[in-house]
Amino acid sequence: MALLSIAEPGQSKARLQHSKHKPALGIDLGTTNSLVATAKEGKVIVLPDQTGNTRLSSIVTYFSDGTNSVGDCDAEQLNKKIHTRISSVKRLMGKALTDISYKPGYKLIEPESGGMVEIQTVAGKRSPVQVSAAILQFLSKRGFEYLSDEPEGVVITVPAYFDDGQRQATKDAARLAGLNVLRLLSEPTAAAVAYGLDKKLNGTVLIYDLGGGTFDVSLMRLEQGVFQVVATGGDAALGGDDLDRAIMKWVQDNAGVNVQSDSELVQLQQLARETKHALSKTNRAIVRWGSWQAELSQKQFHTLIDPYIQRTLKLCKRVLRDAEVTIDELTDVILVGGSTRSPRIQELVEQWYGSKPLSSIDPESVVAMGAALQADVLAGNKYGEEMLLLDVVPLSLGIETMGNLVEKIIPRNTAIPAARAQEFTTYRDGQTVMSLHVLQGERELVQDCRSLGRFELRGIPPMVAGAARIRVTFQVDADGLVEVRAEELTSGVQSTITLKPSYGLKEGQIETMLRDSYASAQQDLVYRKLAEARVEAARHIEALRSALLVDGELLLSKDECAELNALISELDKVATGTNADAIIKLTDNLNNASQTFATRRMDKGIRSALTGHSLDELT
């Protein structure tokens, strides 16, 4: 998918390069901090506020008078006004209340109609989409003030592991903020764009992206302007916030305090961050909370945070295993995200990789910079050499088939945008409706995968079982959003669903789904073999019973009928068991035994068709 503007026939490159520049914005919508950047002629500027600070805290505070404030509020303002402070809202995007296992420090409620969780604030109910829209609007205002022209649109980054519901929620937030979304770009890909174009990197590169609330790892191949994501991994509920919370818990456990108010929580979070930063430079830090104080050593600090860092490295190993790439084949490891400034993280990543990872571009700004470069391209501006971005599907997509099985149509790690089709058929004679259940996951059985949506194909012409040709087509766009279309090929009737779930996967659910798929692979294959054997047996039994009811007495002797009915009864009994090989063997026996009956029925049908017609008519 070429993303640069291509010259029309006869139009020179020089003319393109001297045409008016179309401004655009790149936004890194982060869990802890967010940034906005713009690019022109390959030069990127991360836009600061009036005080020169480029980072915006991803916090929205709602006040009882209906107003809100985006970013950090001073403690005096928080103490004077009744308020609700919403932080880390990115972790709630596209999620239902039942999907959230942690307490965010504000009240979450389930909407009456179900779907995405809502937040109870002193100014009324707010959805994560509305909160994110406020952050996006604030950032875009900063961008509009810098640019001389109205921007063509924005590129917004999302974690590579955001599922369809989370991506759609991000798009909805942008639209609510009044923004034209040129594309959603995965954060690791954005970082690779910034490094690839700045440092002219080539080879196999691993992007280690630890932000405030999410961890992403992507394996990419960069070669002459082609950026191909080979495999992705990560955890949507693992980030630098967890390192802060580890220190917060240590303070609460040792000081014997229970934080109640928002202002106390803010102070404790600030204390944890200051302690973390101090221990990045010194061996010991004095921690004070009220009248209590204690010393936290760097060694103790490492003991608190190392389990989280080791979780990230396990995910890195899994991505390499998925792509069948060894660590020796890596050309570079790129550190992305503010949390990777931690010397301990850099140390453990270097130990694992065996060489110093790249961090020459500010890890906290690199994603916004890559988004700005991509926005510049998508706005129609010519930028140096041509560039091709190939992202991937994080989890397999498929549909439910008979026997409670999942037929995968687009496998995980398929490059997007992508379109794949597969043909299916009807199960029963005269079937005019087919129900399609779209699923996401790596397991073989429906209950072990995630449901994305259901729709029906109606108007199928009545035919014998197996005669209809139903083509099911999956299309995944550049933003990772899915459309599924079903069409009966003989009649042309079709039905389409654009998947827009009201909530996304549970925290860590993608990680769990992948882990379970590896652990249960052998068992799943056994279940699939059994389920397929049962479906095939049931299909043969139903078809043969129907045929015997119509033509059994006419075309078969009593002994022949008795033999087939005995085989049907035997297969029917065995099909309820768990021996797939026995079911397959008896199904084959029944199929072989019924061949004579099938031939006689075919002859009968031909004779019936020929009756009353001359040879000349048929010719």
Side-chain angles (χ1 to χ4, degrees):
M1 178 189 60
L3 298 178
L4 287 183
S5 56
I6 306 298
E8 295 295 329
Q11 189 177 18
S12 69
K13 288 187 178 181
R15 182 180 170 186
L16 277 171
Q17 288 169 347
H18 288 93
S19 61
K20 185 179 179 182
H21 179 264
K22 299 174 183 177
L25 298 172
I27 294 178
D28 174 12
L29 184 62
T31 307
T32 308
N33 294 299
S34 297
L35 301 94
V36 59
T38 190
K40 186 175 182 180
E41 298 177 1
K43 303 296 182 183
V44 184
I45 300 171
V46 182
L47 304 179
D49 61 16
Q50 293 177 344
T51 65
N53 186 15
T54 57
R55 296 196 301 269
L56 172 72
S57 294
S58 301
I59 297 169
V60 181
T61 305
Y62 291 92
F63 299 104
S64 55
D65 59 5
T67 60
N68 68 66
S69 173
V70 179
D72 287 315
C73 287
D74 57 56
E76 185 180 350
Q77 191 178 12
L78 291 176
N79 288 328
K80 281 183 178 179
K81 291 186 177 181
I82 300 172
H83 65 275
T84 307
R85 184 176 179 272
I86 311 298
S87 61
S88 300
V89 73
K90 186 173 177 177
R91 286 187 164 187
L92 306 179
M93 291 289 276
K95 305 222 177 207
L97 182 61
T98 53
D99 298 337
I100 299 159
S101 57
Y102 71 98
K103 293 182 179 179
Y106 39 83
K107 186 178 180 182
L108 302 178
I109 53 176
E110 186 173 2
E112 293 178 5
S113 57
M116 197 187 307
V117 67
E118 289 184 337
I119 303 161
Q120 184 66 61
T121 79
V122 294
K125 296 175 185 176
R126 296 290 186 273
S127 75
V129 167
Q130 289 173 298
V131 179
S132 296
I135 298 169
L136 288 170
Q137 200 167 39
F138 192 91
L139 288 169
S140 63
K141 184 182 176 184
R142 184 185 294 182
F144 294 167
E145 289 172 352
Y146 175 84
L147 299 171
S148 55
D149 294 328
E150 185 78 12
E152 293 289 314
V154 299
V155 167
I156 300 173
T157 61
V158 294
Y161 251 42
F162 256 26
D163 76 326
D164 189 65
Q166 291 164 305
R167 289 171 187 264
Q168 188 62 57
T170 305
K171 257 194 166 179
D172 290 344
R175 291 194 185 100
L176 187 60
L179 302 177
N180 172 35
V181 181
L182 299 172
R183 185 173 174 184
L184 298 181
L185 185 65
S186 75
E187 291 162 2
T189 305
V193 168
Y195 266 100
L197 297 180
D198 183 63
K199 302 297 180 186
K200 304 297 180 188
L201 292 184
N202 280 300
T204 304
V205 178
L206 186 131
I207 317 292
Y208 178 102
D209 182 359
L210 187 63
T214 58
F215 174 68
D216 273 331
V217 55
S218 288
L219 187 69
M220 303 187 73
R221 289 201 176 96
L222 280 61
E223 187 173 357
Q224 297 180 346
V226 177
F227 295 68
Q228 180 181 7
V229 180
V230 180
T232 63
D235 191 332
L238 174 63
D241 290 351
D242 294 294
L243 310 187
D244 295 341
R245 275 193 282 271
I247 298 174
M248 290 166 68
K249 186 176 185 303
W250 180 85
V251 172
Q252 289 178 292
D253 290 347
N254 286 275
V257 296
N258 183 21
V259 174
Q260 299 288 339
S261 68
D262 278 359
S263 58
E264 279 187 325
L265 181 63
V266 171
Q267 290 169 23
L268 186 56
Q269 287 172 334
Q270 185 62 33
L271 174 64
R273 289 194 188 104
E274 289 172 356
T275 305
K276 179 175 69 175
H277 295 155
L279 289 170
S280 296
K281 301 171 184 176
T282 61
N283 291 326
R284 299 180 183 281
I286 300 298
V287 185
R288 295 182 177 87
W289 181 260
S291 59
W292 172 87
Q293 75 171 40
E295 184 181 81
L296 181 63
S297 69
Q298 195 176 73
K299 186 176 180 180
Q300 287 174 295
F301 173 58
H302 291 170
T303 302
L304 293 174
I305 68 171
D306 279 3
Y308 298 102
I309 303 172
Q310 291 300 332
R311 277 171 60 187
T312 68
L313 296 177
K314 283 181 182 177
L315 291 165
C316 292
K317 293 172 188 175
R318 180 166 295 157
V319 164
L320 292 179
R321 187 169 66 243
D322 283 352
E324 298 180 348
V325 171
T326 66
I327 197 166
D328 295 332
E329 294 176 84
L330 290 180
T331 313
D332 287 291
V333 171
I334 296 174
L335 297 182
V336 178
S339 297
T340 62
R341 288 174 172 166
S342 164
R344 183 59 173 174
I345 291 173
Q346 294 178 10
E347 179 187 345
L348 292 183
V349 172
E350 183 174 348
Q351 283 179 15
W352 171 73
Y353 174 45
S355 185
K356 195 171 182 64
L358 292 178
S359 58
S360 55
I361 301 177
D362 177 15
E364 201 158 15
S365 302
V366 66
V367 168
M369 293 170 69
L373 288 166
Q374 180 66 1
D376 192 41
V377 167
L378 293 176
N381 301 308
K382 184 69 177 175
Y383 176 69
E385 299 171 357
E386 291 205 6
M387 178 172 60
L388 188 72
L389 293 185
L390 300 172
D391 217 332
V392 297
V393 176
L395 284 173
S396 299
L397 299 165
I399 65 169
E400 179 180 354
T401 57
M402 292 300 297
N404 202 35
L405 296 173
V406 181
E407 184 68 25
K408 298 180 182 70
I409 295 178
I410 297 187
R412 70 181 295 256
N413 287 331
T414 297
I416 58 174
R420 297 277 179 91
Q422 192 166 322
E423 286 189 17
F424 298 87
T425 190
T426 49
Y427 180 76
R428 290 189 170 85
D429 292 345
Q431 186 175 339
T432 60
V433 178
M434 179 177 281
S435 176
L436 293 107
H437 184 195
V438 184
L439 297 142
Q440 180 183 43
E442 304 310 308
R443 301 288 294 278
E444 299 294 332
L445 301 181
V446 169
Q447 62 263 31
D448 297 321
C449 292
R450 182 201 174 213
S451 173
L452 288 182
R454 298 173 185 265
F455 69 112
E456 289 184 343
L457 177 64
R458 293 183 171 274
I460 302 171
M463 307 180 202
V464 296
R469 293 173 59 207
I470 314 293
R471 176 176 290 164
V472 178
T473 304
F474 276 65
Q475 287 186 305
V476 185
D477 68 14
D479 295 325
L481 303 178
V482 185
E483 181 181 278
V484 184
R485 182 174 67 256
E487 179 183 5
E488 202 289 305
L489 297 179
T490 59
S491 63
V493 296
Q494 59 180 266
S495 181
T496 302
I497 182 173
T498 300
L499 296 169
K500 185 179 176 180
S502 57
Y503 54 91
L505 294 176
K506 295 181 181 180
E507 291 181 14
Q509 192 173 342
I510 292 179
E511 161 70 8
T512 301
M513 289 168 80
L514 288 177
R515 186 171 60 244
D516 289 349
S517 74
Y518 296 132
S520 308
Q522 213 48 43
Q523 186 182 22
D524 282 357
L525 289 175
V526 172
Y527 283 149
R528 186 176 188 93
K529 183 179 179 181
L530 177 61
E532 287 176 340
R534 284 174 172 171
V535 169
E536 191 66 11
R539 189 173 70 82
H540 275 75
I541 289 170
E542 185 173 340
L544 191 51
R545 277 176 173 164
S546 297
L548 286 170
L549 197 62
V550 176
D551 291 323
E553 292 183 2
L554 181 65
L555 301 177
L556 297 174
S557 67
K558 287 185 178 180
D559 288 344
E560 288 172 326
C561 275
E563 181 188 358
L564 289 179
N565 279 316
L567 286 171
I568 288 172
S569 296
E570 186 180 5
L571 177 57
D572 204 9
K573 183 179 179 181
V574 173
T576 59
T578 58
N579 189 332
D581 291 332
I583 298 170
I584 293 168
K585 183 179 179 181
L586 285 175
T587 302
D588 289 342
N589 290 345
L590 180 61
N591 188 40
N592 293 332
S594 62
Q595 288 300 311
T596 301
F597 182 37
T599 301
R600 291 174 188 174
R601 291 195 82 206
M602 187 180 295
D603 290 343
K604 177 193 169 190
I606 293 171
R607 284 196 301 273
S608 176
L610 293 176
T611 301
H613 295 280
S614 67
L615 187 60
D616 290 338
E617 285 178 312
L618 293 171
T619 305

